[in-house]
Amino acid sequence: MARPAGNPVLAPIRRWVLYSRTNLTISVAAVLGVLFVAGAVFGESPTTVHTPSTVAAAGARTTAAAPAEEVTYDLIEVTESAIAGKTADAVGKSAPTTAMAYAHAYVDISQSNTEWRTKLGRYTTDTPGETIVAARPQVPIAITGSTTSEIVTGTGGERRAEVTIPTQAGELRVTVQVTESPNGAKWLVQNPFPTLDRDEVSKLGTAPSLASGAAAPSRQPEPSTSATAADTSATDTTATTTSATVPTPSSDPAPAPVPAPVPVPGPVPVPGPIPIPELDTPIPGAL
């Protein structure tokens, strides 16, 4: 009985694989290599689930990788509105903004002395003492313009900035220098801390008339309610008496004016000889 012929494609491969162990090892490695390449090309990447811890760790790595903002020696002049809403660390990166923030806190009279010292201490090397608290303004003072800054090099080679802020009570001159702090290097106001002239500040709280030595006009005392009522009743009585004594004008109509007489024209002379009138008696001396 004849044996059936094998598969013409698989039979040679099967004979080659089973021919030796070397061929078997090569075949298995080739199959695994083909499967690995196919999986890398056509396979899908696993979906990553972002848990809160994973997100926090990624944010921390991003923050650590981002370079921290450094202090700058560029003197970009600012106004009081430029520091609104900024933190002390953000303000401390520039000399003009640090000086303006100090001036803004210095003229603030809405807080108690303790709160005022704490707020002012955010921009100074040390917490202000009782000396600067005694020089604190007690009247509102407005900042009238932008800063004017200048970089100055000290005797030891350190660089500091001299900043001038204009106010109603004169110029506030602030000296700031880069100082190391727990949050990094930043500009801070140096001690002794600047203050405004107390004489100029006191002028803002004095009325112009009193400041010039003029006496204030005296005010007449206001009459009481009873006196006012008495005066009112007396005035009404006087008005009534006056109205009673004044005669009422007559209701008869005024006489009509007499018309002026019309002039009569004189006789008009008749030209020619004057006629002699006829008389009953002869004219004396006539024959």
Side-chain angles (χ1 to χ4, degrees):
M1 182 174 179
R3 298 177 59 184
N7 192 316
V9 177
L10 298 178
I13 296 176
R14 185 169 58 252
R15 285 196 301 271
W16 185 83
V17 170
L18 299 177
Y19 181 77
S20 65
R21 294 180 179 178
T22 304
N23 294 344
L24 178 61
T25 303
I26 294 173
S27 300
V28 172
V31 171
L32 293 177
V34 170
L35 293 177
F36 178 79
V37 173
V41 174
F42 302 103
E44 296 181 359
S45 60
T47 304
T48 303
V49 179
H50 296 281
T51 61
S53 59
T54 306
V55 175
R61 289 194 300 270
T62 303
T63 305
E69 186 179 358
E70 298 180 354
V71 295
T72 176
Y73 286 86
D74 296 336
L75 301 180
I76 302 176
E77 310 301 344
V78 296
T79 58
E80 188 176 9
S81 60
I83 64 171
K86 289 187 176 182
T87 62
D89 293 335
V91 166
K93 301 305 179 182
S94 171
T97 55
T98 302
M100 181 59 76
Y102 174 88
H104 177 76
Y106 177 78
V107 300
D108 185 8
I109 62 173
S110 62
Q111 298 176 339
S112 64
N113 287 342
T114 303
E115 296 173 341
W116 183 78
R117 290 176 57 186
T118 302
K119 184 177 180 180
L120 203 65
R122 300 173 185 173
Y123 314 107
T124 58
T125 53
D126 303 315
T127 302
E130 296 298 331
T131 303
I132 190 172
V133 172
R136 178 187 180 185
Q138 302 300 324
V139 296
I141 300 176
I143 297 175
T144 58
S146 60
T147 58
T148 303
S149 310
E150 180 184 3
I151 293 293
V152 179
T153 303
T155 56
E158 69 278 2
R159 301 174 65 188
R160 62 178 183 269
E162 300 288 343
V163 186
T164 303
I165 300 97
T167 69
Q168 285 181 315
E171 294 181 344
L172 183 65
R173 301 181 182 275
V174 183
T175 301
V176 290
Q177 187 174 344
V178 176
T179 308
E180 292 293 335
S181 67
N183 296 331
K186 62 180 180 179
W187 291 92
L188 291 176
V189 180
Q190 301 300 301
N191 197 3
F193 307 130
T195 59
L196 290 171
D197 188 352
R198 299 184 65 178
D199 294 337
E200 296 296 331
V201 174
S202 62
K203 291 179 181 179
L204 297 178
T206 307
S209 59
L210 299 180
S212 60
S218 59
R219 297 181 58 187
Q220 296 294 335
E222 296 182 358
S224 60
T225 305
S226 58
T228 304
D231 295 344
T232 304
S233 59
T235 304
D236 295 341
T237 305
T238 304
T240 305
T241 306
T242 305
S243 61
T245 56
V246 174
T248 305
S250 176
S251 58
D252 297 338
V258 179
V262 180
V264 179
V268 179
V270 179
I274 299 175
I276 299 174
E278 295 182 358
L279 300 176
D280 296 337
T281 60
I283 298 175
L287 297 179

